[in-house]
């Protein structure tokens, strides 16, 4: 169903984890309100925005704000978002390095090859004081070239499939490995205990319900956000994802 | 019907340049059975393959039925080829098809309807003695059986010209004979022109009208089969003729001379006149000599007995001389004295 | 072990169905298109029936270009075409053009290799009978190389199953993408395991059918 | 158009080098391992020299299983092995085991197909001379099927180039991953285009070399 | 040397069950040249293929050099095969190797050092008349040339037993003779045992000691070549013998009878005793008859002239009768009256 079908049916594109699962949890609650939610799963980060802009989707739920903004800047799509739903905090792990203070000179940092994550990761490194980024560059778009100060001489290697990072953490002992929390938990790491340092819930990388600008006030879509912010869903998120996904914008 | 001029085929390999067919001229009449003989490597297979342009000539012209084969375009060539059957030295059967379907193949190509095709195939399978094996695959046949499938296939579409490359060399004499009879039969009934490569002279003798002898890509001798048999000019031809005419092999002769160490030994060539058939008995009556037939072969031709006998003459030297003179002067039998005892 | 897992039988069945669906349909298309390409390569090659240096180069170029393009980029490039053809760029059907166009050049090469193994003598025999090129293709080249063609399509089928995994990127579903996204990405290795087992079974089925037909047809 | 782009010649050269490096080394491994597997499949098949239903099943199973596993998952499964062998699980070298083990079963099937096309008569001739199986393999089977084996490895090489793109997941680099991550992900389609062109050129080079050798060896 | 008992080979196809070799018993002596003849499909190729177990026997035992071939394990079989050369009906050359390397192949297998190998190969190439073509590939050779490569290859490793499956059927008579001479030579010098399948009786005549005639998978007749030639018992043998003995073909005979419509026509079988060679001249002297030699063939064997002549007797009926009686009673020549004029 596209935007032009039934008023009370909304089609939302989502990444399978955790977005689609969260939506599936919300669907029955929405049904009670007389709104049918169709979840269209995506495994890719380009198409959901294309499809949203072209009208195939009414909304999507897979990206954080900086990525959405980047896409709008790149494509000129007239997109906006209603509100944030959750954060998937990123953490830095290492077997060999045990404290922020004694990171050896020239330590390698292994990070995801997903370019949209890079600004976020570099921002985290700046926040804990390991590097300084060019202040003229938007944090969200920062790349490795934008590092102006790097006292520890860290070597950033943005070449790895995010899913493999836990394995790299296991074998490449003397490196820093940046792992998305969902992968960390899957690999039976405890982000709070095992991470050298971790994003907090104030991260700007909150995943949002994105819509076409004209639909920002669409009743059904706002209802969806409302339900996603409900206590029931937020508790579900906390329990289901064991801390790898942190709900935001709710009442608690 | 078939007129070949200056035909030439050169194979270039890295190390060699081989002129397989070398400026060959030849005319073959309509309805003729034309034999081609020659040593292994003489260029016989290449020659027939040039006729239907399976091999592109390097030079020269080939006219079949007044069509210049070398100038036909693809489609014309295709149609011309439908009238030229070919039996391959190495069979070239389709392993994916049964015997039946292999034989039906040229009929399918010519667009013969199924019912008619089946009839014709059945008939051919019977003719080549493979009834009962219709559904076998080539890999399940013996060499001679494959050869026969190849023959049946070449005949299936009633071609006007048939090119046979050692069509019977894998066959036993009985089967060979029946195939040859079949060919003669078709030749007479339908006026099929046949070009027949073989190294078996008895095949030539049995069914060919004319014969050409190839050596090093050239035709070194050609003519009526009988003429060539009677008066072979080239060494190669003589060797071939000896095969069918008897054991003229030189080492045999030496052995013979050693064994029969008395009297004269002469070779008599009977050249195909019935008057001379009684020569031996005439000589015995006329002169006081004993004639031992040591070796030889006599066959019948249209004009009479023809062949060679090696005969030992025992007796008085004078009588022997007279006998030999008699043969030389009074008969058409050619005599060659191999050993003269004086 | 499996109790901890999030495997949903329904999803698994659906993924299996999608893999089967995509593979089978794509296979038919690949078979046809691949044989076409393979024949073109064979016929136009040096010494071939339609010897044509230029055409051969063009076909070889097309085949090579499409084999060279990473599958994921191929999907992207084919969006306009897919949209025109299928009316959508998502779902299993939308994956088909990319699957076929990705696999056909590959199979085309296998077809070419198979055709080159056909005994030149039988092709000559057919030519000497005045067969049309069409007849030579359908009654000589294809039947005589059929065992190798079937073995080749079996190999291709299995490569296609691999491609379907990547087609997950456009929501085509299938076992590979289920294994990757629901299993691998979520580090739920039970799903990976189960999916792999099912894929292996499917591979065996294809291989078995392929071997069976190929042996059946081989009368050498 | 290219002026807007972020292409860095150095990166491009490095990616090209990585692709070449991985493909070439993996190709050698695949050739050896694939011929081994293909020979095993051929020799143990029904009517083969070492006819052995059980062994044939086992080898076929191994080949099928490894062909069936999606490449990305194969990489994961091989981590312990790779770590043991290479001492690391990242970089171009770490990609090699997965590349070889991913491509060899596939090539093994192509080898099997090629071997089946060898005339049974010449194998019999060698047997009648009392040849050891080793001799039959190295002096009959392999030389007589060499054109098809070379064409097959060419096809495999090009599939391998595709695999190297996926090997980017463990930081192996290469053109495919450069195109995808620096180009596609950043919507810098010039990079995608340039990378594609280079890949196509590499494919042509491999194909040209393969065709050349294969034609050279074909004395039929 | 070779002792075969109850040998049997059954091919099962979907539609047929074919017993290609059927409970065959045979003994072949050391150093013998043993011929096998038979119609196409008789089971000859299958038979020799069973001897080195290229085809697994369905039943029976094969002893070569006191080794039970059917019971050898893989390695023993391999070693046994190195001593058994084989010439294939369809050559089976490796297309990937040059002529030279094809011939060197069995030597490589036997582990002969390179220098020696090269020498032997050069020698063989010369022997089979392919000098200058060492570096050609099989695809660049004519049928007969391929055949010769196959022969050279089979001889390369000096085997003790040589199995020849129509080794000369693709060869012209000249080449055939030189190959046969070569075989006899090796046979005499090295005591090579040869089993020779052929459908050319003159090959059998020329080099074989004994011959077996196969029909439907069975040996229906066997014995010394001369005995079999002299007294063929089975129809199939008679047909083969006629091939080499002359044109005994029935339709030829009828033609002959029609052509020569006077007098008696008799067939004389000379059974290989030199005393009778002068028979024709003796008869001419003794009786008042003319003897026309119409057709026939006489060849020399170790014991004397052997062969058949068809002779027309013209003259007084009484005299003719006397002459015939003389032959019957006083000579070892067998006489068969084809037409008797009373
Ligand atoms: N693999 C097979 N499957 C089925 N039948 C076979 C097979 N091989 C041979 N035959 C049959 O067995 C019989 C004997 O074949 P064989 O090849 O031994 O004949 P041959 O005496 O050598 O004949 P030729 O002189 O024509 O070569 C034939 O009828 C043939 O069709
Ligand atoms: N494709 C080729 N390349 C190189 N030389 C070739 C080729 N085909 C044939 N020849 C050579 O040309 C010559 C004539 O060959 P052809 O096959 O015509 O001989 P043939 O008379 O049929 O002999 P045979 O009786 O042995 O079959 C031979 O010396 C052969 O080696
Ligand atoms: Mg020839
Ligand atoms: Mg045979």
């Amino acid at each position: 169903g596209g935007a032009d079908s039934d008023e009370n049916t909304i089609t939302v594109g989502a990444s399978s984890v955790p977005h689609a699962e969260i939506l599936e949890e919300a669907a029955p609650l929405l049904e009670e309100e007389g709104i049918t939610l169709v979840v269209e799963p995506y495994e890719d980060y380009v198409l959901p925005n294309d499809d949203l802009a072209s009208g195939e989707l009414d909304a999507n739920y897979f990206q954080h704000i900086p990525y959405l903004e980047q896409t709008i800047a790149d494509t000129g799509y007239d997109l906006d978002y209603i509100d944030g739903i959750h954060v998937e905090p990123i953490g830095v792990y290492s077997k060999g390095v045990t404290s922020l203070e004694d990171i050896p000179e020239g330590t390698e940092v292994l990070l995801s090859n997903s370019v949209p994550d890079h600004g976020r990761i570099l921002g985290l490194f700046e926040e804990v004081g390991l590097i300084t980024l060019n202040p003229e560059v938007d944090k969200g778009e920062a790349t490795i070239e934008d590092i102006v100060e790097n006292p520890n001489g860290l070597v950033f290697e943005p070449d790895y499939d995010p899913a493999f990072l836990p394995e790299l953490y296991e074998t490449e002992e003397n490196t820093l490995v940046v792992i998305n929390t969902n992968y960390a938990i899957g690999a039976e790491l405890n982000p709070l205990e095992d991470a050298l340092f971790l994003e907090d819930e104030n991260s700007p990388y909150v995943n949002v319900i994105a819509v076409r600008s004209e639909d920002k006030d669409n009743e059904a879509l706002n209802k969806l956000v409302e339900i996603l912010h409900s206590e029931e869903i937020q508790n579900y998120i906390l329990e289901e994802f064991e801390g790898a996904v942190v709900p935001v914008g709710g009442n608690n | 019907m078939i007129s070949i001029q200056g035909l030439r085929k050169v194979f270039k390999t890295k190390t060699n340049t081989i002129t397989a067919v070398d400026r060959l001229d030849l005319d073959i009449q309509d309805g003729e059975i034309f034999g081609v003989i020659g040593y292994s490597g003489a260029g016989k297979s290449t020659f027939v393959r040039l006729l239907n342009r399976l091999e592109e000539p390097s030079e020269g012209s080939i006219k079949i039925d007044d069509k210049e084969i070398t100038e036909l375009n693809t489609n014309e060539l295709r149609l011309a080829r439908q009238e030229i059957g070919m039996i391959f030295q190495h069979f070239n059967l389709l392993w994916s098809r049964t015997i039946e379907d292999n034989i039906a193949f040229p009929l399918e190509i010519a667009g013969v309807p199924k019912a008619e095709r089946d009839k014709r195939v059945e008939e051919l399978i019977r003719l080549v003695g493979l009834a009962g094996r219709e559904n076998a695959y080539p890999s399940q046949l013996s060499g001679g059986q494959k050869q026969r499938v190849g023959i049946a296939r070449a005949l299936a579409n009633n071609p006007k010209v048939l090119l046979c490359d050692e069509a019977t060399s894998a066959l036993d004499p009985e089967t060979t004979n029946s195939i040859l009879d079949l060919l003669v039969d078709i030749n007479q009934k339908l006026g099929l022109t046949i070009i027949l490569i073989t190294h078996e002279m008895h095949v030539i003798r049995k069914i060919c009208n004319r014969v050409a002898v190839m050596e090093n890509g050239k035709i070194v001798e050609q003519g009526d089969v009988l003429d060539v048999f009677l008066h072979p000019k080239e060494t190669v031809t003589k060797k071939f003729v000896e095969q069918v005419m008897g054991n003229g092999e030189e080492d045999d002769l030496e052995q013979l001379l050693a064994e029969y160490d008395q009297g004269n030994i002469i070779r008599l060539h009977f050249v195909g006149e019935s008057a001379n058939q009684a020569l031996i008995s005439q000589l015995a009556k006329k002169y006081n000599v004993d004639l031992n037939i040591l070796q030889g072969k006599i066959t019948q031709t249209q004009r009479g007995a023809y062949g060679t006998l090696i005969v030992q003459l025992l007796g008085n030297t004078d009588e022997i001389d007279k006998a030999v003179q008699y043969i030389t002067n009074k008969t058409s039998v050619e005599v060659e004295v191999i050993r003269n005892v004086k | 072990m499996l109790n901890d897992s999030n495997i949903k039988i329904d999803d698994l069945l659906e993924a299996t169905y999608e893999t089967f669906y995509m593979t089978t349909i794509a296979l038919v298309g690949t078979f046809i298109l691949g044989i076409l390409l393979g024949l073109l390569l064979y016929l136009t090659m040096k010494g071939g029936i339609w010897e044509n240096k230029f055409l051969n180069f063009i076909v070889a170029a097309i085949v090579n270009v499409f084999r060279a393009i990473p599958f994921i980029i191929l999907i992207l490039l084919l969006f306009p075409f897919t949209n025109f053809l299928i009316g959508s760029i998502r779902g299993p059907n939308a994956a088909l053009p990319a699957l076929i166009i990705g696999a056909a050049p590959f199979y085309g090469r296998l077809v070419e290799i198979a055709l080159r193994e056909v005994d030149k003598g039988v092709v000559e025999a057919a030519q000497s009978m005045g067969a049309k090129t069409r007849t030579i293709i359908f009654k000589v080249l294809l039947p005589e190389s059929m065992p190798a063609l079937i073995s080749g399509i079996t190999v291709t089928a299995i490569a296609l199953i691999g491609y379907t995994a990547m087609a997950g990127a456009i929501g085509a579903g299938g076992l590979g993408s289920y294994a990757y996204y629901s299993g691998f990405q979520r580090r739920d290795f039970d799903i990976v395991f189960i999916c792999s087992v099912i894929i292996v079974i499917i591979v065996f089925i294809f291989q078995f059918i392929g071997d069976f037909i190929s042996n059946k047809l081989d009368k050498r």
Side-chain angles (χ1 to χ4, degrees), chain B residues 78-320:
Chain B
R78 209 169 58 62
L79 292 174
R81 279 175 173 170
Q82 292 195 358
E83 314 234 287
I84 306 177
M86 182 156 185
I87 305 173
F88 290 87
Q89 191 168 5
H90 300 134
F91 323 147
N92 290 347
L93 304 180
L94 282 82
W95 61 253
S96 60
R97 286 180 165 232
T98 59
I99 301 321
E100 209 168 55
D101 293 346
N102 260 291
I103 297 174
F105 192 36
L107 299 171
E108 288 174 29
I109 289 174
V112 175
K114 174 105 175 79
E116 202 177 314
R117 221 156 62 200
D118 289 351
K119 218 173 115 263
R120 179 95 182 109
V121 168
E122 206 204 298
E123 185 184 316
L124 282 161
I125 286 189
R126 227 174 353 83
L127 273 179
V128 297
L130 287 173
R133 301 302 295 274
E134 293 85 352
N135 295 314
Y137 286 89
S139 64
Q140 301 170 330
L141 295 187
S142 77
Q145 289 167 338
K146 281 182 211 158
Q147 184 67 281
R148 285 182 270 162
V149 177
I151 293 169
R153 184 176 68 175
L155 293 175
N157 196 26
N158 295 317
K160 283 199 193 146
V161 178
L162 183 65
L163 309 174
C164 309
D165 195 352
E166 315 248 345
T168 57
S169 72
L171 298 177
D172 60 87
E174 177 77 356
T175 317
T176 300
N177 274 336
S178 71
I179 296 289
L180 294 182
D181 289 344
L182 179 63
L183 292 183
V184 172
D185 199 47
I186 300 170
N187 166 263
Q188 281 164 359
K189 285 206 190 108
L190 307 175
L192 175 70
T193 307
I194 302 178
I195 298 181
L196 196 133
I197 292 182
T198 183
H199 56 260
E200 299 169 302
M201 283 302 275
H202 67 93
V203 170
I204 300 275
R205 187 187 66 74
K206 195 174 153 92
I207 71 166
C208 290
N209 307 111
R210 286 200 301 150
V211 63
V213 183
M214 282 188 79
E215 194 171 23
N216 295 328
K218 294 195 178 74
I219 290 184
V220 290
E221 191 163 351
Q222 63 168 303
D224 274 6
V225 169
L226 203 62
D227 284 344
V228 173
F229 273 47
L230 287 175
H231 307 289
K233 288 188 204 82
E234 303 292 324
T235 326
V236 40
T237 320
K238 282 183 188 144
K239 296 247 156 136
F240 271 97
V241 170
E242 272 164 8
Q243 179 201 9
V244 68
M245 294 329 300
N247 316 282
E249 303 119 38
E250 294 308 305
D251 44 320
D252 274 28
L253 199 61
E254 271 162 37
Q255 217 178 312
L256 219 60
L257 290 172
E259 190 117 0
Y260 301 93
D261 49 3
Q262 302 194 325
N264 275 23
I265 291 191
I266 58 172
R267 186 188 274 135
L268 300 175
H269 284 288
F270 294 85
V271 293
E273 285 188 62
S274 50
N276 295 315
Q277 290 172 167
L279 182 67
I280 303 280
S281 80
Q282 280 168 19
L283 291 175
K285 284 202 163 73
K286 269 205 167 75
Y287 305 99
N288 186 18
V289 289
D290 276 337
L291 297 107
N292 282 355
I293 301 174
L294 301 184
Q295 181 169 302
K297 190 169 181 185
I298 298 289
T299 57
Q300 281 292 320
T301 68
Q302 273 90 338
R303 294 191 253 150
Y306 155 67
T308 304
L309 290 180
I310 294 180
V311 175
Q312 184 186 28
L313 296 175
L314 292 173
N316 181 296
T317 323
D318 268 7
E319 286 292 295
I320 293 178

Side-chain angles (χ1 to χ4, degrees), chain C residues 110-127:
Chain C
L110 297 189
V111 171
E112 188 200 358
I113 297 174
L115 293 176
R116 279 175 188 248
E117 299 292 318
V118 172
D119 181 10
K120 279 177 199 144
V122 299
V123 177
E124 280 188 350
Q127 285 176 321

Side-chain angles (χ1 to χ4, degrees), chain A:
Chain A
D4 46 9
S5 66
D6 185 359
E7 275 277 304
N8 291 326
T9 299
I10 54 175
T11 308
V12 181
S15 294
S16 61
V17 215
H19 311 78
E21 289 179 20
I22 295 170
L23 288 176
E24 296 294 356
E25 197 66 26
L29 301 175
L30 215 55
E31 196 70 53
E32 283 169 22
E33 308 278 339
I35 299 167
T36 307
L37 174 65
V38 177
V39 180
E40 200 66 67
Y42 282 81
E43 310 293 3
D44 158 80
Y45 299 138
V46 175
L47 299 176
N49 281 335
D50 290 350
D51 288 356
L52 178 59
S54 73
E56 289 220 27
L57 298 175
D58 296 308
N60 67 42
Y61 172 35
F62 74 99
Q63 62 197 326
H64 45 64
I65 299 164
Y67 184 75
L68 176 62
E69 286 170 348
Q70 180 67 45
T71 303
I72 293 168
D74 283 345
T75 61
Y77 289 156
D78 189 11
L79 301 181
D80 202 347
Y81 65 92
I82 298 179
D83 203 352
I85 309 296
H86 75 258
V87 175
E88 294 170 42
I90 261 179
V92 178
Y93 300 74
S94 178
K95 276 246 159 100
V97 182
T98 46
S99 90
L100 258 182
E101 282 70 45
D102 42 49
I103 295 176
E105 178 77 18
T107 298
E108 287 178 289
V109 182
L110 311 184
L111 53 143
S112 150
N113 55 16
S114 177
V115 173
D117 283 344
H118 291 176
R120 175 182 184 183
I121 293 163
L122 293 171
L124 177 60
F125 271 81
E126 187 174 42
E127 205 159 284
V128 296
L130 285 174
I131 58 168
T132 314
L133 292 170
N134 185 347
E136 284 161 32
V137 173
D138 181 3
K139 296 266 179 292
E141 289 178 41
T143 63
I144 294 154
E145 286 89 61
D146 297 322
I147 298 172
V148 289
E149 269 176 54
N150 185 354
N152 292 47
L154 298 178
V155 180
F156 288 84
E157 297 202 351
D159 282 328
Y160 304 94
D161 188 296
F164 285 148
L165 291 166
E167 268 73 28
L168 289 165
Y169 161 71
E170 292 292 338
T171 56
E172 310 290 311
E173 300 201 337
N174 294 316
T175 58
L176 298 179
V177 185
V178 187
I179 309 178
N180 292 68
T181 303
N182 55 331
Y183 296 129
I185 287 180
E188 273 152 18
L189 293 172
N190 185 333
L192 301 173
E193 286 175 17
D194 294 332
L196 197 59
F197 52 96
L198 191 69
E199 267 181 337
D200 54 29
E201 72 254 24
N202 300 325
S203 161
Y205 295 92
V206 53
N207 286 253
V208 296
I209 297 285
V211 295
R212 288 182 295 281
S213 301
E214 75 215 42
D215 285 337
K216 196 166 160 74
D217 298 319
N218 177 301
E219 211 172 295
L221 293 173
N222 277 289
K223 194 80 203 167
L224 170 66
V225 172
E226 193 177 303
I227 284 176
L228 290 173
H229 284 168
S230 71
E231 202 173 330
E232 195 176 347
I233 296 296
Q234 300 224 326
N235 285 338
Y236 163 78
I237 293 175
L238 285 172
E239 281 161 29
E240 183 68 21
F241 302 104
E242 299 166 15
V245 179
V246 182
V248 297
N251 309 328
N252 50 336

Side-chain angles (χ1 to χ4, degrees), chain B residues 11-13 18-21 38-47 49 55 89 165-166 197 199 214:
Chain B
F11 290 109
K12 283 203 174 60
T13 66
I18 291 167
T19 310
V21 171
Y39 293 153
S40 167
K44 306 180 297 293
S45 295
T46 309
F47 167 60
R49 286 165 56 82
E55 212 80 68
Q89 191 168 5
D165 195 352
E166 315 248 345
I197 292 182
H199 56 260
M214 282 188 79

